[in-house]
Amino acid sequence: MSLLEEPMHPGKVLKELYLDPLNKGAIAMARRLGVPRTRIERLVKGATGMTPGTALRLARALNTTPAYWMNLQTNHDMAATAKNVDVSDIEPLVPA
């Protein structure tokens, strides 16, 4: 499957592209962000999703944008939902 069909969870992106290369753990990142350690631990494990507050904090700490993190979450959620929601019987509306 391509990345477009299976977008990575933002927690996996955080771990693989940021925490691992920086040699930082979830606890150290949580301290830096001023959030409970469980928030980042659960995010990295994929047990919870990205929130706007966490996106703002990560954007500041990692020199990204909040939209970057929220878009990762949206793409992940849409791909997961598309597997379970059948829209084939919905007729598209056409302008007159």
Side-chain angles (χ1 to χ4, degrees):
M1 289 201 162
S2 77
L3 286 176
L4 294 177
E5 293 170 351
E6 286 293 330
M8 286 181 14
H9 187 278
K12 186 173 184 179
V13 173
L14 175 61
K15 180 173 180 0
E16 291 184 10
L17 298 183
Y18 296 94
L19 297 182
D20 289 350
L22 291 168
N23 201 29
K24 295 269 185 212
I27 295 172
M29 181 57 75
R31 279 191 199 119
R32 186 170 199 94
L33 301 179
V35 299
R37 69 168 173 77
T38 53
R39 182 181 306 181
I40 303 303
E41 289 172 338
R42 291 176 45 87
L43 181 63
V44 166
K45 290 178 184 175
T48 191
M50 182 64 62
T51 65
T54 302
L56 284 165
R57 288 173 169 85
L58 285 172
R60 175 68 175 180
L62 299 172
N63 199 30
T64 61
T65 65
Y68 169 74
W69 297 103
M70 294 309 297
N71 286 336
L72 287 170
Q73 185 66 54
T74 299
N75 291 336
H76 180 267
D77 291 348
M78 286 300 295
T81 301
K83 291 179 183 175
N84 301 314
V85 176
D86 180 13
V87 295
S88 62
D89 62 338
I90 299 173
E91 291 292 325
L93 293 173
V94 203

